[in-house]
Amino acid sequence: MPAHVFGETLQATNTPGGLAMRIEFSFSDQKFTASLYDSPAARELASMLPLDLTIEDYSTNEKIAYLPRKLTASGNEPFGDEAVGDLCYFAPWGNLAFFHADYHYSQGLVRLGRLDDGIKPLLTRGKFPLQAKVAGP
């Protein structure tokens, strides 16, 4: 069953997707948005906003940011269509994973959504304060 992408704001709607959610992230001089899929973990993440986190490089293909508490991983199923630009949650560690290069599914990885405008902001190397909030229209 394909995931449904939410729309523009965190509001209840009468659309088949249920809630509409987009998150705006900013760190250093970088700003980007991600559209969330219709899943329990994505809705739980949106309910935590706004958040002040720390984003840092992990391996050579992703940036990560630890959440203040773990999200649900219920309803998650393995996926095989991994793509650069995926926003995921790694349940065992409790962190967001922003993929800016190829990756492979591993147990405990929950796909939350997709970056809206590409990966360029994630190529800024280093560790920075990260702000996450509901994206405006």
Side-chain angles (χ1 to χ4, degrees):
M1 178 176 183
H4 298 282
V5 176
F6 291 91
E8 297 296 317
T9 60
L10 180 61
Q11 298 175 358
T13 67
N14 292 325
T15 61
L19 295 176
M21 290 184 267
R22 277 185 53 229
I23 297 178
E24 179 182 294
F25 295 97
S26 59
F27 71 94
S28 186
D29 60 350
Q30 304 298 321
K31 188 180 284 189
F32 59 100
T33 60
S35 294
L36 300 182
Y37 295 128
D38 184 8
S39 72
R43 287 191 298 274
E44 194 171 342
L45 173 62
S47 75
M48 296 169 67
L49 299 175
L51 288 169
D52 288 316
L53 308 169
T54 299
I55 192 167
E56 60 188 298
D57 301 309
Y58 182 79
S59 189
T60 59
N61 64 339
E62 67 185 285
K63 282 195 167 297
I64 63 171
Y66 288 93
L67 294 171
R69 65 176 171 80
K70 290 192 171 197
L71 303 177
T72 183
S74 67
N76 180 54
E77 297 178 12
F79 53 91
D81 57 348
E82 305 91 335
V84 172
D86 282 346
L87 170 60
C88 297
Y89 170 68
F90 189 57
W93 293 357
N95 66 278
L96 296 177
F98 302 84
F99 289 99
H100 57 75
D102 290 335
Y103 76 101
H104 297 287
Y105 171 82
S106 63
Q107 187 173 354
L109 199 60
V110 178
R111 189 160 35 195
L112 299 173
R114 298 267 312 146
L115 299 184
D116 293 327
D117 297 313
I119 61 161
K120 188 175 179 183
L122 301 177
L123 301 180
T124 301
R125 305 291 292 172
K127 184 174 182 176
F128 304 95
L130 173 72
Q131 290 76 45
K133 64 182 184 178
V134 174

